[in-house]
Amino acid sequence: MIETPYLLFLGDAPDQLAAKVAIGIRDWRPENAVGQLRLEGCGADLGLTDLTLEQGLEAGAKTLVIGVANRGGVISAAWKEVLIKALEMGYDLASGLHNLLREEGDLVAAAQVNGGTLHDVRIPNVQYPIANGKPRSGKRCLAVGTDCSVGKMYTAMAMDAAMRERGLKSTFRATGQTGILITGSGVPLDAVIADFMAGAVEYLTPDNDEDHWDMIEGQGSIFHVSYSGVTMALIHGGQPDALILCHEPTREHMRGLPGFKLPSLEALRDLALELAKVSNPACQVVGVSINTQHLNDEEAKAYCAEVEARMGLPTVDPYRHGADRLVDALASI
Amino acid sequence: MIETPYLLFLGDAPDQLAAKVAIGIRDWRPENAVGQLRLEGCGADLGLTDLTLEQGLEAGAKTLVIGVANRGGVISAAWKEVLIKALEMGYDLASGLHNLLREEGDLVAAAQVNGGTLHDVRIPNVQYPIANGKPRSGKRCLAVGTDCSVGKMYTAMAMDAAMRERGLKSTFRATGQTGILITGSGVPLDAVIADFMAGAVEYLTPDNDEDHWDMIEGQGSIFHVSYSGVTMALIHGGQPDALILCHEPTREHMRGLPGFKLPSLEALRDLALELAKVSNPACQVVGVSINTQHLNDEEAKAYCAEVEARMGLPTVDPYRHGADRLVDALASI
């Protein structure tokens, strides 16, 4: 668990795109962010109040979150100065960077001296169990995709938000570093040792109230040969009661795999459901989430209508149209 | 790569069963074993010449292989004495134990002083790539199972041996610690970080002669919820041209999962083939390997005949009947 609220460190991010993690926190857990801290030359602006470390503390911040990708995989001297000062002032640090905080001697020393914690969310800090496959109480929904990066995290986040707005019981369950930083906890599934993947997902989605839903962030795709093992562990470890199919209709080949065409939504539906039924025979496919960012309003509407007619499942872009119809679809389970 | 030949250390193994790794080496790579070294009270006997460390060296041994499971996860003082002496005499050590050689300070020190290598084969020692899915030259055969521990390693080993007996090009590709110790190399797949599993399998089975077969050791089962992610990575990373279905007909539930029934061979055939075609559209299911250890000769023969008639695929127990008919089935690919 990362202590909230956060002060969001944007460093010298060249542009808004580099601040993806911070944007996610602002959009999905605005109550977790007291403000932003930018260095000279920062090209990103979240529209939050600019705060110094001192002002952040006064506003109640517990953790300085590195909400930005760094350049060239090196934590620069300019960043270091701020990070060390933050530790000296009593902040914890949290990061999803590839180069780990815990591998920087000066940060480790400053954390030890000041009793701060370094959260490297790419690295598991729990010894996960082997999955046991035992049915768990409560309900679980998993977003599965025709490909990587088609909006699975967004879909689960949006459904979780819509559930909670209705006063229903729901928890977003993060399985990647962005989701973990946004919510403060989760499992960095792609960094877990193979034998413990499904067990990590069981650990992430434990017994719960019968009317509680876990909205599990998907990873990879069962059709993406680089990462399908991770997806498989999510499907079997997550024991989903409901699957949401996620798709980006303009993509010409699987992400990073020029030789591989995307599967149809029908192929995803059939294969994911067959696999899911191994761990939960009652699993159902309940809806379709389309990432329409490369379509105009007209095209997006037409595409969703076409898929909905073809597949007989509520089909929306939760970013454009809201997630309400997907949440409605859970009511029947 | 572990240097061969080996002297096989049986320690104080309580019985033959505890010496499973050493038995595998004796059975599959007898040329790799110059003899066995047993301590007082050892209840295992491979029928190899009993040698001291000195005699092992004279016979050409390069590596002392711990061919036995230890008790309680502790390397005892009695073992330590022998292992340190071996390092001092110039042996390397190799082990598949859960408690690692490299975590024993006195072994590390002795290895450093004497220039020896400690091989912990449960732990990857390579930074594997992310899988790229590119087609590779040469042919690959993967054993897939209805469950864990149904004879997948044995099947691949037996097919590899039969291929080489015929003068055909074949390499057994180990994916678990026993196979790695037997052959001296491989990938400990269940210990690989999730994101790199499929890449590790690609690394293990690189481009080769067009008439060369990799016989890939399977792991887990696509129907075993604890380990299916590992199996998935093998199917997609291995790009198999041929699948062999493996089954143990007397098992009452999935290994370690009392609530889960075994799938039918037909269900395994259909699902494994569908998944395999994602990475290799030409993949075929070519045969069935039955582990008949709990059947008598009559029952074993009848069971295989029944499956063969039902599925239209050559069906044998390679341990009882030899692997020749499975190897014959590869000829058509």
Side-chain angles (χ1 to χ4, degrees):
Chain A
M1 271 310 239
I2 305 169
E3 272 205 272
T4 56
Y6 306 149
L7 176 60
L8 300 181
F9 178 70
L10 304 188
D12 47 2
D15 52 33
Q16 202 78 349
L17 205 65
K20 181 181 146 190
V21 169
I23 293 170
I25 295 169
R26 178 201 61 188
D27 289 352
W28 294 110
R29 293 290 184 275
E31 69 276 18
N32 281 358
V34 301
Q36 63 187 14
L37 192 163
R38 302 191 291 162
L39 299 182
E40 185 150 331
C42 183
D45 182 358
L46 303 187
L48 300 177
T49 316
D50 283 297
L51 299 179
T52 62
L53 288 174
E54 289 80 1
Q55 292 167 330
L57 273 192
E58 281 163 26
K62 306 285 188 201
T63 304
L64 183 70
V65 170
I66 300 179
V68 60
N70 58 337
R71 307 182 201 194
V74 176
I75 298 179
S76 68
W79 284 30
K80 268 290 174 61
E81 199 181 318
V82 180
L83 302 182
I84 289 174
K85 194 173 158 211
L87 287 165
E88 287 169 353
M89 294 172 64
Y91 281 92
D92 290 342
L93 298 184
S95 157
L97 300 177
H98 270 292
N99 45 328
L100 304 180
L101 301 176
R102 71 184 67 169
E103 286 174 358
E104 302 287 323
D106 41 8
L107 296 182
V108 172
Q112 276 173 345
V113 168
N114 299 284
T117 303
L118 304 178
H119 295 280
D120 286 303
V121 302
R122 273 185 193 270
I123 305 295
N125 54 8
V126 171
Q127 175 61 56
Y128 301 113
I130 299 273
N132 63 32
K134 287 187 187 147
R136 306 192 288 290
S137 53
K139 301 287 187 188
R140 285 158 199 86
C141 176
L142 175 67
V144 293
T146 51
D147 193 3
C148 299
S149 308
V150 291
K152 294 185 296 291
M153 185 185 88
Y154 194 100
T155 300
M157 280 283 195
M159 290 179 70
D160 171 57
M163 289 283 289
R164 289 186 293 115
E165 254 167 49
R166 296 184 188 190
L168 299 174
K169 296 178 191 166
S170 168
T171 309
F172 172 80
R173 299 297 189 183
T175 61
Q177 64 266 12
T178 303
I180 295 172
L181 284 173
I182 292 174
T183 60
S185 66
V187 166
L189 193 58
D190 60 10
V192 171
I193 298 286
D195 249 4
F196 302 97
M197 293 185 298
V201 181
E202 292 188 350
Y203 170 93
L204 180 68
T205 60
D207 281 317
N208 215 316
D209 296 343
E210 283 303 347
D211 58 345
H212 176 276
W213 280 87
D214 279 328
M215 299 296 175
I216 308 174
E217 180 189 359
Q219 294 292 337
S221 165
I222 204 73
F223 290 94
H224 194 295
V225 298
S226 308
Y227 308 115
S228 53
V230 180
T231 314
M232 184 75 262
L234 269 163
I235 293 175
H236 282 170
Q239 292 180 2
D241 301 277
L243 296 174
I244 304 285
L245 311 179
C246 300
H247 183 56
E248 201 281 81
T250 69
R251 203 163 288 179
E252 292 183 350
H253 60 74
M254 297 293 281
R255 191 173 165 93
L257 302 175
F260 290 79
K261 289 230 171 301
L262 269 72
S264 67
L265 277 161
E266 285 85 346
L268 174 64
R269 175 194 63 198
D270 295 346
L271 184 55
L273 187 60
E274 182 174 2
L275 294 170
K277 283 185 168 177
V278 171
S279 63
N280 184 351
C283 186
Q284 298 177 39
V285 177
V286 299
V288 183
S289 173
I290 304 292
N291 177 342
T292 64
Q293 64 176 319
H294 298 301
L295 306 180
N296 66 32
D297 280 347
E298 196 88 346
E299 290 166 340
K301 211 174 135 189
Y303 188 84
C304 288
E306 187 268 312
V307 170
E308 177 149 346
R310 209 174 82 209
M311 304 196 58
L313 291 167
T315 302
V316 299
D317 180 339
Y319 186 80
R320 235 168 175 143
H321 314 125
D324 279 317
R325 296 190 59 223
L326 300 179
V327 167
D328 292 343
L330 297 180
S332 64
I333 292 182
Chain B
M1 268 317 237
I2 305 169
E3 273 205 272
T4 56
Y6 305 149
L7 176 60
L8 301 181
F9 178 70
L10 303 189
D12 47 3
D15 52 34
Q16 201 78 349
L17 205 64
K20 181 181 146 188
V21 169
I23 293 171
I25 294 168
R26 178 200 63 188
D27 289 350
W28 295 110
R29 293 291 185 275
E31 69 276 19
N32 281 358
V34 302
Q36 64 188 14
L37 191 163
R38 302 191 290 164
L39 299 183
E40 185 149 333
C42 183
D45 182 358
L46 303 187
L48 300 177
T49 317
D50 281 297
L51 299 179
T52 62
L53 287 173
E54 290 79 0
Q55 291 167 331
L57 273 191
E58 281 163 26
K62 305 286 188 202
T63 304
L64 183 70
V65 169
I66 301 178
V68 61
N70 58 337
R71 307 184 202 193
V74 176
I75 298 178
S76 67
W79 284 30
K80 268 291 174 60
E81 200 181 318
V82 179
L83 301 183
I84 289 174
K85 193 173 161 210
L87 287 166
E88 288 169 354
M89 294 173 65
Y91 282 91
D92 290 340
L93 299 185
S95 157
L97 300 178
H98 270 292
N99 43 330
L100 304 180
L101 301 175
R102 72 184 68 169
E103 286 174 358
E104 302 287 324
D106 42 6
L107 296 181
V108 172
Q112 277 174 346
V113 169
N114 299 284
T117 302
L118 304 178
H119 296 279
D120 286 303
V121 302
R122 272 184 194 270
I123 305 294
N125 53 9
V126 171
Q127 175 61 55
Y128 301 113
I130 299 273
N132 63 33
K134 288 188 186 148
R136 306 192 289 289
S137 53
K139 301 287 187 189
R140 286 159 197 85
C141 176
L142 174 66
V144 292
T146 51
D147 193 3
C148 298
S149 308
V150 291
K152 294 184 298 290
M153 184 184 91
Y154 194 100
T155 300
M157 280 284 196
M159 290 180 69
D160 172 57
M163 288 282 289
R164 289 185 292 114
E165 254 167 49
R166 297 183 187 190
L168 300 173
K169 296 177 192 169
S170 169
T171 309
F172 172 81
R173 299 297 188 183
T175 61
Q177 64 266 11
T178 304
I180 295 171
L181 284 173
I182 292 174
T183 60
S185 66
V187 166
L189 193 58
D190 60 11
V192 171
I193 298 286
D195 250 4
F196 302 97
M197 293 185 299
V201 180
E202 291 188 350
Y203 170 93
L204 180 68
T205 59
D207 280 316
N208 215 316
D209 296 343
E210 284 302 347
D211 59 346
H212 177 277
W213 280 87
D214 278 330
M215 300 297 176
I216 308 173
E217 179 189 1
Q219 294 292 337
S221 165
I222 204 73
F223 291 94
H224 195 295
V225 298
S226 308
Y227 308 115
S228 52
V230 180
T231 314
M232 185 74 261
L234 269 164
I235 293 175
H236 281 170
Q239 291 180 3
D241 301 277
L243 296 174
I244 304 285
L245 310 179
C246 300
H247 184 56
E248 201 281 80
T250 69
R251 203 164 288 180
E252 292 182 352
H253 60 74
M254 297 293 281
R255 191 173 166 92
L257 302 175
F260 290 80
K261 290 229 171 302
L262 269 73
S264 67
L265 277 162
E266 285 85 347
L268 174 64
R269 174 193 65 197
D270 295 346
L271 183 55
L273 187 60
E274 182 174 0
L275 294 170
K277 283 185 168 177
V278 171
S279 63
N280 185 350
C283 185
Q284 297 176 42
V285 176
V286 300
V288 183
S289 173
I290 305 292
N291 177 342
T292 64
Q293 65 177 316
H294 299 300
L295 305 180
N296 66 31
D297 280 346
E298 196 88 346
E299 290 166 340
K301 210 173 136 188
Y303 187 85
C304 289
E306 187 268 313
V307 170
E308 178 149 347
R310 208 174 82 210
M311 305 198 55
L313 292 167
T315 303
V316 298
D317 180 340
Y319 185 82
R320 234 168 176 144
H321 314 126
D324 279 318
R325 295 190 57 225
L326 300 178
V327 167
D328 292 343
L330 296 180
S332 64
I333 292 183

